[in-house]
Amino acid sequence: MDGRAYIAQRPKRADGRRNYDAILAAARKAFESAGADASLEDIASQAGVAIGTLYRHFPTRASLVEAATRDGLENLVSHAARLSGAPDPLDALTAWMREAVAHFSTFRGLVGILAQSMYDEGTPSHTMCNAMHSGGADLLRAAQAAGSVRPDLTPDELFDLLSGAAWVREQAAGGRDGSPRFLQLVLEGITIPRA
């Protein structure tokens, strides 16, 4: 490769598409149960393909993670666009933040991968992370313009807070998910009380 990030695309031939889809389905299951460090050999086995076939479609772990999480990032981008111009910008931002935290913590290790992808142009998820960041930043600016969110909060700080809430959710043990409370405390810290 020429140094640019590899984005796995669905192949055109039927057998290639079947293998691609089987690998992706197996990867999503493996990542959800074992986290971002799930065994690629196990993923290939669960997909019913050789490890070489997995690597032909996804030459790096990062390219497989990107493909497995692409839909979620695309949903965040389109949700931000749908919420843009909502009558209550704070409600719009809050709804989007909740969705972002849920996606960022889809499986153990994803929040770290997305945080790196946000700033590293060489990662496969960088372009989608940038688009997601931009959509969230627009919602933040709308809430700030409405006087609902403190004006000194930057988009990067917002994403640090979302990453923190996602990490709390990712680390939840025994069914105890502290992220709703964590996110509520974040919202109380960034919002300007309504008169």
Side-chain angles (χ1 to χ4, degrees), residues 110-129:
L110 180 58
V111 70
I113 291 167
L114 294 176
Q116 177 188 1
S117 295
M118 190 79 77
Y119 305 105
D120 183 350
E121 292 179 16
T123 59
S125 298
H126 177 74
T127 300
M128 283 307 301
C129 282

Side-chain angles (χ1 to χ4, degrees), residues 79-96 138-146 148 194:
H79 193 205
R82 285 191 309 275
L83 290 169
S84 178
D88 187 328
L90 180 58
D91 286 349
L93 176 64
T94 301
W96 187 85
D138 290 346
L139 294 173
L140 171 62
R141 284 190 281 275
Q144 288 170 321
S148 300
R194 294 176 176 168

Side-chain angles (χ1 to χ4, degrees), residues 31-63:
F31 291 149
E32 286 174 15
S33 65
D37 293 329
S39 162
L40 297 183
E41 289 80 8
D42 288 349
I43 291 170
S45 176
Q46 288 299 313
V49 301
I51 190 68
T53 301
L54 182 147
Y55 280 118
R56 197 165 29 260
H57 289 288
F58 305 99
T60 64
R61 178 181 296 275
S63 65

Side-chain angles (χ1 to χ4, degrees), residues 61-99:
R61 178 181 296 275
S63 65
L64 182 55
V65 169
E66 184 279 329
T69 60
R70 185 183 306 148
D71 290 348
L73 287 173
E74 287 173 351
N75 288 340
L76 281 172
V77 171
S78 61
H79 193 205
R82 285 191 309 275
L83 290 169
S84 178
D88 187 328
L90 180 58
D91 286 349
L93 176 64
T94 301
W96 187 85
M97 288 172 65
R98 286 193 172 100
E99 184 182 350

